[in-house]
Amino acid sequence: MEQLSLHRRMYDRGLRLLLRLAAALVCALLAGLIGVIFLQGLPNLTWAMLTSEPSVIRNITGILPNILNTVALVAGTLLIALPLGVGAAIYLTEYAASHRLAAVIEFAAETLTGIPSILYGLVGMLFFCQKLGWGSSIRAGILTLVIMILPTIVRTTQESLKTVPQSYREAALGLGSGKWRMIRTLVLPASVDGIVTGCILAVGRIVGESAALLYTAGSAAVLARSLGELLTTSGGSLTVALYMYSMERGKIEVGFAIASILMVLTLLIDLSAKLVGRKLRRN
Amino acid sequence: MDALEAKYAAAKRYSETAMGLVFLLCGVLAVAFVLLISAYLILSGLPAIREVGLLDFLFGPVWAPTHKTEPQFGILPFILTSVYGTAGAVAVGVPVGFLTAMFLSKLAPRRLAAVVRTAVDLLSGIPSVVYGLVGMTVLVPAVRRVFRLPSGATLLAAILVLSVMILPSIISVSETALNAVPREYEEASLALGATETETWFRVSAPAASSGIAAAVVLGIGRAIGEAMAIMMVAGNVANMPGLFKSVRFLTTAIASEMSYAGVGSLQRSALYSIALVLFLFIMLINVILNLWFKNKREG
């Protein structure tokens, strides 16, 4: 280093410092966000709030209905999107004989990934709520989210299907197995970790989604008495509740309490995706 | 071949054909969804544009849909706000994101890189309403105090929130591009006497430029489509954009009036037309991204 001119030495030092500063800024942003949310959210998060239905008359703030709505949205969306997404991925990697059709499908999936969630919300509202006459309801929210997360599941499943060695397939087909049997008994079991990772990513997107849900699933916070009622009536997710409490009702402290729940969920989802990913690499 | 065997073979053939068809249907579904979304946005977006007139709609400077005598439907303020807001977010977010990606790819020891990468992943997982809430309670008051404004809910606050929100995708795509630079390029540069930083910035970065450009386009797509976080920090007044003015983006213009615009009114169909304009912007970005990746694969 001693032979370098002063100018080059300064350039080197300065850029190294700049790189470290940028990375430190990113970490500080995350630490700051987590700090602000937990400091203002956790003190406001009470057991009573988690387990009760809100009531204006009795002056109770409760988010239990929103928690249940979120669970219903996650479960319902995965239940429908998982088979469809895995099926599409299987078609693309195992069946697609015509390259042109496969290219069209992949382009469509790319396009779906790029569409902003507010547009999903709008089309979901026009189609499910108005055209089909379902009104604001959890089922309209679920189907809107299915369209939205389909590409995520297709892409991750496709990636893990591609990691199954071609020799497995040739061995199975050579022994006289049909294609479907080969997929069912060999290819799918070998790529289950990747599919699980896709599901976890999808859960993360569903839990964090708000714009697509506001006009499809609505913002109500009433406890449903049956599964049928839950699916056919309006219900706000945790994110929508956060928005309503902090923007429309001016109860920032409730917003922060919900934000801290969402942060814990984000941490858990990221952690479990990492664990599954690590297991995937080890195999 | 005896009867049993023939029966088994037939059953196998049927189930194989049936499953093949099922998977084909699943695959075609994605295409059907795209067609459904495009059809709905175009069909519901066109009537208001036809009624207002394309030029008056796109370049009209005043949005006053509920004015009693002369309602006006110009969305130029929204378009310009979206363009300026996105440009601002890219101007702030890309340098930080690029430098962080360079840090992760070249400078950081493995352990530290893993920690920073976790932080980036977590940032990308945080729901947009949470960004909005923190922006609204921390950033907006700070902007108001620092610049002595009557209200801090401004384009500036929205730009800052957006730039944080696009960081994760810029970092991860740029890092992938930087990692893909052939080792020989860097070794050749080092062997010629360049320092490590000179190599990173003058050899690796140009070699990874198409990947970094894709990261920028991806960031633009993210920023232009974000709605809820901006709703909470931008103030939502249909002004022409100014850094210290309360503004409305294309996305928030749709969201903020949807809940009260009467069904069947011109105001509501104008909101659908705004959605169509936003959709066209996004499709343009998608096409650019696709061409980019295609060129890279061929080149």
Side-chain angles (χ1 to χ4, degrees):
Chain A
M1 276 305 221
E2 284 96 80
Q3 307 96 306
L4 291 180
S5 68
L6 182 68
H7 174 77
R8 287 179 72 193
R9 228 166 22 219
M10 297 289 283
Y11 180 88
D12 187 70
R13 288 275 161 77
L15 282 180
R16 274 169 199 271
L17 183 68
L18 217 56
L19 293 183
R20 291 204 173 91
L21 278 180
L25 176 66
V26 171
C27 294
L29 276 172
L30 178 72
L33 274 167
I34 292 179
V36 167
I37 291 161
F38 282 158
L39 277 180
Q40 306 208 42
L42 290 180
N44 292 312
L45 194 63
T46 59
W47 185 247
M49 183 194 276
L50 287 174
T51 53
S52 56
E53 192 177 5
S55 160
V56 181
I57 304 167
R58 289 180 291 156
N59 196 21
I60 301 176
T61 307
I63 55 170
L64 179 62
N66 304 114
I67 295 176
L68 294 179
N69 291 337
T70 305
V71 172
L73 285 165
V74 169
T77 308
L78 276 188
L79 210 62
I80 302 174
L82 186 62
L84 294 179
V86 172
I90 289 177
Y91 177 76
L92 286 173
T93 40
E94 311 290 332
Y95 282 87
S98 113
H99 284 290
R100 193 170 297 166
L101 181 59
V104 169
I105 293 173
E106 275 175 3
F107 176 75
E110 294 275 313
T111 309
L112 285 177
T113 320
I115 295 178
S117 52
I118 181 96
L119 292 185
Y120 280 107
L122 196 75
V123 174
M125 181 191 75
L126 286 169
F127 188 73
F128 299 118
C129 303
Q130 291 178 4
K131 178 100 178 166
L132 300 185
W134 289 356
S136 282
S137 58
I138 297 272
R139 58 179 174 178
I142 287 177
L143 290 180
T144 308
L145 289 180
V146 165
I147 306 180
M148 208 177 95
I149 65 157
L150 196 66
T152 311
I153 295 185
V154 173
R155 187 159 10 85
T156 45
T157 308
Q158 233 184 322
E159 270 161 26
S160 71
L161 288 178
K162 278 180 193 157
T163 60
V164 177
Q166 201 56 34
S167 57
Y168 286 23
R169 296 189 179 87
E170 283 157 9
L173 293 176
L175 288 170
S177 154
K179 212 161 192 176
W180 163 231
R181 191 184 167 127
M182 167 197 88
I183 292 165
R184 184 163 42 99
T185 56
L186 204 78
V187 178
L188 278 182
S191 54
V192 74
D193 285 351
I195 298 173
V196 172
T197 314
C199 285
I200 296 172
L201 291 177
V203 171
R205 275 200 79 181
I206 300 168
V207 169
E209 186 48 53
S210 45
L213 289 173
L214 193 54
Y215 302 109
T216 53
S219 58
V222 185
L223 276 184
R225 265 171 221 89
S226 66
L227 188 63
E229 192 189 324
L230 177 70
L231 290 178
T232 52
T233 54
S234 157
S237 66
L238 281 170
T239 45
V240 170
L242 190 168
Y243 177 77
M244 296 311 267
Y245 276 116
S246 40
M247 284 292 282
E248 316 263 311
R249 285 174 224 159
K251 287 190 174 174
I252 301 274
E253 71 286 353
V254 184
F256 269 110
I258 299 175
S260 53
I261 299 177
L262 289 171
M263 280 306 287
V264 171
L265 288 177
T266 309
L267 292 170
L268 286 178
I269 289 167
D270 189 73
L271 194 71
S272 43
K274 282 240 160 66
L275 286 179
V276 176
R278 198 167 297 160
K279 186 157 170 268
L280 188 68
R281 268 197 299 279
R282 213 179 298 140
N283 297 345
Chain B
M1 213 196 287
D2 62 27
L4 191 67
E5 224 172 288
K7 210 168 135 194
Y8 177 74
K12 180 178 155 188
R13 230 179 5 253
Y14 280 131
S15 72
E16 288 295 333
T17 322
M19 287 318 287
L21 276 178
V22 168
F23 291 132
L24 174 65
L25 272 182
C26 290
V28 172
L29 208 59
V31 183
F33 286 154
V34 171
L35 291 180
L36 177 88
I37 290 174
S38 318
Y40 259 86
L41 286 173
I42 292 169
L43 286 180
S44 52
L46 281 181
I49 294 183
R50 204 171 291 153
E51 199 167 331
V52 179
L54 181 63
L55 291 182
D56 286 343
F57 184 70
L58 287 181
F59 301 110
V62 179
W63 175 261
T66 49
H67 195 277
K68 283 208 184 66
T69 49
E70 279 178 68
Q72 280 180 288
F73 297 92
I75 64 163
L76 190 63
F78 309 150
I79 295 180
L80 287 181
T81 302
S82 274
V83 171
Y84 290 179
T86 303
V90 166
V92 179
V94 166
V96 178
F98 168 70
L99 290 172
T100 308
M102 189 64 98
F103 175 81
L104 287 174
S105 167
K106 309 293 175 196
L107 182 61
R110 265 182 62 190
R111 280 270 170 77
L112 184 58
V115 173
V116 178
R117 247 176 239 130
T118 308
V120 174
D121 286 347
L122 285 175
L123 276 179
S124 79
I126 296 177
S128 55
V129 281
V130 174
Y131 279 109
L133 180 66
V134 176
M136 178 177 140
T137 53
V138 178
L139 189 63
V140 167
V143 168
R144 182 173 55 92
R145 265 198 313 275
V146 171
F147 298 99
R148 295 167 202 281
L149 301 167
S151 158
T154 54
L155 179 60
L156 178 66
I159 285 178
L160 292 176
V161 170
L162 280 178
S163 59
V164 176
M165 292 183 74
I166 63 172
L167 266 180
S169 45
I170 291 178
I171 293 174
S172 59
V173 177
S174 317
E175 196 203 341
T176 313
L178 285 170
N179 284 340
V181 173
R183 188 90 193 101
E184 293 82 11
Y185 288 18
E186 288 164 10
E187 279 163 0
S189 159
L190 290 172
L192 287 171
T195 62
E196 277 186 315
T197 44
E198 283 166 348
T199 305
W200 297 336
F201 281 87
R202 296 187 185 170
V203 176
S204 314
S209 61
S210 79
I212 294 167
V216 175
V217 181
L218 195 68
I220 292 176
R222 283 279 148 78
I224 213 166
E226 179 51 44
M228 301 305 273
I230 303 181
M231 276 284 264
M232 299 168 85
V233 299
N236 279 324
V237 183
N239 282 327
M240 276 295 183
L243 209 49
F244 299 118
K245 276 201 267 183
S246 170
V247 290
R248 230 185 243 186
F249 290 68
L250 282 169
T251 48
T252 52
I254 304 168
S256 57
E257 285 179 23
M258 190 56 80
S259 47
Y260 64 83
V263 175
S265 66
L266 180 58
Q267 182 189 5
R268 200 176 181 91
S269 19
L271 298 182
Y272 301 152
S273 309
I274 298 177
L276 178 59
V277 172
L278 178 63
F279 181 63
L280 294 178
F281 265 106
I282 293 288
M283 291 305 279
L284 189 71
I285 291 168
N286 267 353
V287 168
I288 293 175
L289 260 182
N290 264 303
L291 288 179
W292 224 303
F293 281 123
K294 213 176 189 179
N295 277 343
K296 223 175 71 181
R297 240 176 276 142
E298 281 160 9

